[in-house]
Amino acid sequence: SHYHMNVRQHIEPESLVDALAAEENRVKQGWGWDWHYQRVGKYAEQLQRFYKYYDRSQILVLFQVDLQQRPGETMRSIFEHLEVSPDFKPDFSSRAMVGHTPRWRQLRKIIREDNLVKSLAQQIVPSPVRKALVDWSESKNRQPIPPMPRVLRERLRIQFAEDSKQLEDLLGRQLPW
C-alpha cells in the first residue's frame, strides 16, 4: 500500500518489483524512509520500539480490514481508547483516498511532467478548463490496484514470516493477511 500511495502521488516511477529490487541501493544513496517499502513493513520491529517507551494501554493497534468490515464497531473502539464520546456516528457513505494505479503511466507523465504538450496547453487553454481536463483525464486513467503477483507475494510472505510471527505474539491476535 505504501508503494501504491507513492505511485498515486506521482513520486514512484518504478514498478513494484523494480522498486523492491532498488530498495537497498536507494537506502545506500540516502533516499528517505518513504522508499524503504520492505523496511517499513516490519511492523513488529516498529511496534516494539513504541512498547519500549509507552505503556501498551496507551497504544491501540488496528488493521485496515477492521475498519472495512466493521467500521462502526472499530470507530467506537477508537473513541473509547481516546476517552472521547463513543456516541458520535461518522458518515461511512463514501471512502476517501481509495487506492488506484494509472492505466497508462505515459499519459500520467504527459499530464504531470513538463513537456511540449503541457506547455502548449498552458498557453492556449484557460486555467479552469485545463484543470477540468486534467481531473477528467486522471479519473479516466485510474484502475484498481491489481493483485500482487503470486510469486512476489510468496517471496514477501517468506521474507516477513518471522516479523509476522512476532507481531502476532505482540498483539495476541492472528494477522488478517
Side-chain angles (χ1 to χ4, degrees):
S1 68
H2 192 121
Y3 164 81
H4 286 291
M5 178 187 72
N6 284 350
V7 168
R8 186 177 66 245
Q9 293 176 346
H10 314 289
I11 60 175
E12 176 57 77
E14 302 294 340
S15 71
L16 176 59
V17 171
D18 291 343
L20 294 175
E23 184 170 327
E24 283 307 310
N25 285 335
R26 289 174 169 187
V27 171
K28 287 177 186 172
Q29 294 171 5
W31 287 44
W33 68 269
D34 216 22
W35 286 271
H36 300 189
Y37 304 120
Q38 294 165 95
R39 289 177 182 219
V40 299
K42 294 185 177 180
Y43 300 130
E45 187 178 294
Q46 294 182 52
L47 190 57
Q48 285 169 334
R49 280 187 235 135
F50 280 97
Y51 286 163
K52 183 177 176 181
Y53 296 102
Y54 300 96
D55 187 89
R56 287 179 184 232
S57 66
Q58 293 179 289
I59 299 171
L60 177 65
V61 177
L62 300 168
F63 296 106
Q64 181 182 7
V65 70
D66 297 328
L67 194 55
Q68 289 172 327
Q69 294 177 353
R70 299 177 312 281
E73 179 183 326
T74 302
M75 289 305 297
R76 256 189 321 283
S77 70
I78 293 169
F79 296 154
E80 288 170 5
H81 181 78
L82 295 173
E83 298 179 356
V84 298
S85 174
D87 298 331
F88 176 71
K89 304 289 186 240
D91 179 3
F92 296 111
S93 63
S94 66
R95 290 182 59 199
M97 297 181 64
V98 175
H100 64 271
T101 189
R103 289 179 200 279
W104 305 284
R105 282 184 176 233
Q106 283 305 110
L107 176 58
R108 185 189 70 186
K109 191 174 185 175
I110 290 168
I111 293 169
R112 286 287 171 182
E113 296 180 11
D114 290 333
N115 57 61
L116 182 60
V117 173
K118 187 174 177 180
S119 179
L120 288 172
Q122 288 173 334
Q123 295 174 22
I124 299 169
V125 182
S127 180
V129 174
R130 264 194 341 266
K131 181 176 179 348
L133 284 170
V134 165
D135 291 348
W136 179 82
S137 297
E138 286 190 341
S139 74
K140 295 301 177 192
N141 195 30
R142 289 184 184 136
Q143 66 180 348
I145 295 171
M148 185 182 296
R150 196 169 51 243
V151 171
L152 178 58
R153 179 177 293 282
E154 182 60 17
R155 186 194 75 153
L156 292 173
R157 189 192 65 72
I158 292 167
Q159 178 182 332
F160 285 96
E162 181 58 34
D163 189 78
S164 294
K165 174 70 174 108
Q166 289 175 7
L167 184 59
E168 284 184 342
D169 292 345
L170 278 172
L171 298 175
R173 176 179 177 188
Q174 186 176 0
L175 303 180
W177 55 81

